[in-house]
Amino acid sequence: MAKKLDLQRENSFFDDVLKYFDHAAQFVKTTPGILEQIRHCNSVYRIKFPVKVKGGYEVVEAYRVEHSHHKLPTKGGIRYSEHVNQDEVMALAALMTYKCSIVDVPFGGAKGGVKINPRKYSEEELERITRRYTSELIKKNFIGPGIDVPAPDYGTGEREMSWIVDTYNTFHMNDINALACVTGKPVGQGGIRGRKEATGLGVFYGIRQYLSDAGRAKALGLTTGIKGKTVVVQGLGNVGYHAAKFFYEAGAIIVGLGEWNSAVTNTKGINPEEAFNYFKAHSTLDGLKGCKTLKNNTDVLEVECDILIPAALENQINKENASRVKTKIVGEAANGPVTPEAEQVLLKKKTVIIPDIYLNAGGVTVSYFEWLKNLSHVRLGRMEKRYQQAQNHNLLDAIESSTGKKVTTAQRKMLDHGADEIDLVYSGLEETMIDSLEQIIKTMNDNKKITDLRTAAFVTAISKIVVSYEKLGVFP
Ligand code: GLU
């Protein structure tokens, strides 16, 4: 049986984010005072509320932090974990601000946290906790379509979001935009197709884009493309599972998978779907067919590979294990998985770190699409799908009659349709991930003193926020 190791934090997570911020800030030209305003958290709401569980009452500790109000609403997930604390929620809220800025999503950053281990509660108890937490947010105006819009994060998903929207609706019966108070909802309750896999798909698009450039790939001793690359994923939650699946489908070899209590490796490759089903049935990856069980769950981070994707929690690669990490690319699917000390060790080894504030922004990007859908009260693609399809159909007919040749069935299948919601979400996400990476690379190319992608990403994000503060005129 694999042992579960909890790595101890070296520093405050929020201080780590400030470290990244301060390092990047030296490359941003602005009026004194603006950077100081950006770095802090604007509002921190700490709640303790009683819930009736297991025949008695339990006091639950929870938070919502709004990091920046330079754009509204603020946006960010809600985490259910027994490790939740104020410092963590502040750090995650700050990361959301930079993330939204990088992908041009017009929101400030926020984050919520409820300090519970969701595995210890029944569904009914979780519903009670979620609804009570939501009413606490409503009480103090920390939720609303134009105020602050939560979403899923570690330990939460569609189910929790549906409880949140239902609770909010009960208090805002006359608000026609009430559905936009939270994203990541089930499709039947105002959600959008593609949101569930969005973060994992964004991770895939981002790394694929990095490796699409021959110069960038060659510098790592790799060829372009995903096919044949060895990949390790830590975390088989919503983000890790989908990321692994997209890499697998693109021909990558998944040589290692890890969960909170177990980890396995197989040089011949693991099918993530089989691993996911196995984990669901056995609550462990130990014993997965054809795989070697690793001694500790965190050992998966040390499996040799081309691409390592930590997709669980922060602080996973730290000064204790960084020197043993054997990968060419670390793709930060989780928020804050590499500490600043570990980053120095990895950069010295010429490992490329594709930073969280860019790489996992696919989730909030599609959340933005969901929010737009809720506010416009129309499904994406509804107005133009049939028109597009007719246009494509006519064009194919015209090509056939003017050339006298028939297009193949495959070509007709590919072209003879209009864009549906899922097509638009995927293409909007793909465009966002490609464009944002190239913006970050441009920042790096424009300033030779910036030598790593995280600094370039922070500079890109901060520069855009500075502009909106200057436009707001809060510093006359
Ligand atoms: N929790 C996700 C994140 O960390 C998604 C946030 C959102 O969609 O608002 O980016």
Side-chain angles (χ1 to χ4, degrees), residues 75-77 96 99 111 149 151-153 183 195 335 360 363-364 367:
K75 187 89 188 75
M96 285 308 301
K99 202 183 291 188
K111 202 78 171 199
V149 181
D153 196 78
T183 59
R195 173 61 185 87
N335 291 307
N360 70 31
V364 76
S367 276

Side-chain angles (χ1 to χ4, degrees), residues 429-469:
L429 175 61
E430 187 173 9
E431 167 65 16
T432 303
M433 294 311 292
I434 292 174
D435 182 59
S436 305
L437 181 69
E438 296 311 327
Q439 278 185 38
I440 294 168
I441 303 265
K442 183 174 180 313
T443 302
M444 204 149 126
N445 291 341
D446 287 351
N447 189 335
K448 295 288 170 238
K449 287 195 183 128
I450 302 174
T451 52
D452 66 285
L453 285 172
R454 189 185 316 277
T455 306
F458 266 91
V459 172
T460 309
I462 300 167
S463 306
K464 291 193 224 174
I465 300 167
V466 159
V467 171
S468 49
Y469 266 111

Side-chain angles (χ1 to χ4, degrees), residues 127-389:
E127 177 169 357
R128 229 173 287 145
I129 293 170
T130 307
R131 288 186 183 275
R132 176 64 193 248
Y133 174 67
T134 311
S135 27
E136 295 292 333
L137 296 182
I138 295 169
K139 253 195 236 169
K140 298 276 190 232
N141 239 357
F142 268 75
I143 185 171
I147 301 169
D148 187 349
V149 181
D153 196 78
Y154 187 86
T156 60
E158 284 186 350
R159 182 184 62 175
E160 287 71 17
M161 303 308 116
S162 74
W163 293 329
I164 293 175
V165 72
D166 188 56
T167 310
Y168 187 84
N169 262 328
T170 317
F171 284 88
H172 298 85
M173 300 260 275
N174 294 324
D175 182 354
I176 59 160
N177 292 324
L179 275 183
C181 75
V182 65
T183 59
K185 302 178 290 289
V187 173
Q189 271 169 289
I192 197 166
R193 288 161 188 82
R195 173 61 185 87
K196 208 174 186 170
E197 65 269 39
T199 312
L201 182 57
V203 167
F204 171 74
Y205 284 150
I207 296 175
R208 189 192 64 182
Q209 180 62 15
Y210 190 84
L211 282 175
S212 68
D213 179 273
R216 298 199 285 252
K218 199 164 164 233
L220 288 168
L222 294 172
T223 52
T224 54
I226 295 299
K227 200 167 187 296
K229 300 286 182 299
T230 52
V231 175
V232 168
V233 180
Q234 183 204 30
L236 271 183
N238 185 42
V239 178
Y241 166 67
H242 283 109
K245 197 162 158 275
F246 287 114
F247 275 96
Y248 180 78
E249 284 165 3
I253 307 158
I254 312 290
V255 292
L257 284 177
E259 251 297 332
W260 65 277
N261 57 357
S262 51
V264 290
T265 177
N266 183 350
T267 48
K268 292 203 190 89
I270 308 169
N271 177 338
E273 190 140 4
E274 276 170 28
F276 180 78
N277 290 334
Y278 184 89
F279 187 78
K280 230 169 54 188
H282 300 91
S283 302
T284 177
L285 288 169
D286 287 359
L288 181 65
K289 209 170 122 220
C291 294
K292 195 177 128 204
T293 296
L294 296 171
K295 205 161 139 233
N296 305 309
N297 61 322
T298 49
D299 289 351
V300 78
L301 301 164
E302 299 166 28
V303 172
E304 188 163 359
C305 58
D306 297 322
I307 304 164
L308 170 62
I309 303 178
L313 286 169
E314 61 268 18
N315 192 35
Q316 296 302 297
I317 303 176
N318 56 27
K319 70 174 176 217
E320 195 279 313
N321 61 1
S323 61
R324 299 193 299 275
V325 168
K326 297 183 274 303
T327 187
K328 301 200 164 135
I329 296 176
V330 175
E332 293 188 331
N335 291 307
V338 178
T339 66
E341 292 77 8
E343 175 159 80
Q344 289 315 311
V345 176
L346 294 175
L347 292 177
K348 267 200 201 101
K349 291 201 282 185
K350 303 266 180 272
T351 310
V352 165
I353 303 172
I354 308 188
D356 48 5
I357 53 171
Y358 157 68
L359 196 66
N360 70 31
V364 76
T365 301
V366 177
S367 276
Y368 170 47
F369 301 158
E370 179 176 334
W371 183 78
L372 291 174
K373 173 186 181 179
N374 295 150
L375 294 182
S376 61
H377 301 266
V378 61
R379 186 184 74 242
L380 270 72
R382 177 167 175 182
M383 305 291 280
E384 58 273 44
K385 181 183 166 174
R386 183 70 46 176
Y387 176 78
Q388 258 180 13
Q389 181 169 345

